[in-house]
Amino acid sequence: QPMRVVLDTNVLVSGVLSAAGPPGWIIEAVLTGRLEFGVDTRIRAEYEDVLRRPEFAFSPERIADLLEAIDRFAFQVAAVEPWPAPLPDRDDEPWLAVAGATGSVLVTGNLKHFPARARRGVLVQAPREFIEYLRNEA
């Protein structure tokens, strides 16, 4: 059974922009089936919104390919309960809620967005930490 992850948007974008480095490795692990990653409709919409931002200059074809890959490889999580603990930014709640509902590790480049007291047992790790964790689990 592959380990389940929820990827913060910053990890997805970093991994798409550069195959080198921890986020790129994590994306590769998702695409090869070594990791399973979960999304809900809010996370999927956020991914699309961010990938379309002009500053990344992804071509429409590249965006379509990325979204198709996300739709093919991600498992869809429906009707997740609202997260019970307050976060600094409520818009970050879907990531923690999907991770909590599916027993996934939340991988983020912004650990401060998910303070320890709000995690309620969800493992939240930076990309490099997560790769170390995976190696130790293997």
Side-chain angles (χ1 to χ4, degrees), residues 104-125:
S104 300
V105 180
L106 171 55
V107 184
T108 179
N110 289 323
L111 291 171
K112 66 181 180 300
H113 289 191
F114 303 96
R117 66 180 179 278
R119 293 178 187 173
R120 301 281 167 104
V122 173
L123 186 59
V124 180
Q125 294 187 315

Side-chain angles (χ1 to χ4, degrees), residues 4 6 13 15 22 24 55 57 67 70 85 89-90 96 99 117 120 138:
R4 293 185 147 189
V6 174
V13 171
E55 66 260 33
L67 294 172
I70 290 165
D89 182 349
R90 297 204 67 108
L96 212 45
R117 66 180 179 278
R120 301 281 167 104

Side-chain angles (χ1 to χ4, degrees), residues 9 13 16 28 33 42 44-45 53 57 66 68 93 105 107 116 125 134:
T9 311
V13 171
V16 168
E28 182 63 27
R42 297 166 298 178
R44 169 64 172 72
R53 285 187 188 158
L66 290 167
E68 188 188 319
E93 288 179 6
V105 180
V107 184
Q125 294 187 315
L134 264 187

Side-chain angles (χ1 to χ4, degrees), residues 28-130:
E28 182 63 27
V30 165
L31 296 175
T32 56
R34 198 168 155 201
L35 293 173
E36 286 188 346
F37 85 120
V39 300
D40 69 359
T41 53
R42 297 166 298 178
I43 293 172
R44 169 64 172 72
E46 165 82 357
Y47 285 171
E48 180 163 357
D49 192 46
V50 171
L51 290 169
R52 291 189 188 285
R53 285 187 188 158
E55 66 260 33
F56 298 123
F58 294 130
S59 69
E61 297 76 24
R62 178 98 164 106
I63 293 166
D65 288 347
L66 290 167
L67 294 172
E68 188 188 319
I70 290 165
D71 293 338
R72 190 163 69 238
F73 289 100
F75 61 91
Q76 287 284 339
V77 182
V80 178
E81 290 292 307
W83 193 247
L87 291 177
D89 182 349
R90 297 204 67 108
D91 290 344
D92 292 327
E93 288 179 6
W95 281 264
L96 212 45
V98 170
T102 58
S104 300
V105 180
L106 171 55
V107 184
T108 179
N110 289 323
L111 291 171
K112 66 181 180 300
H113 289 191
F114 303 96
R117 66 180 179 278
R119 293 178 187 173
R120 301 281 167 104
V122 173
L123 186 59
V124 180
Q125 294 187 315
R128 189 170 301 281
E129 260 186 298
F130 174 65

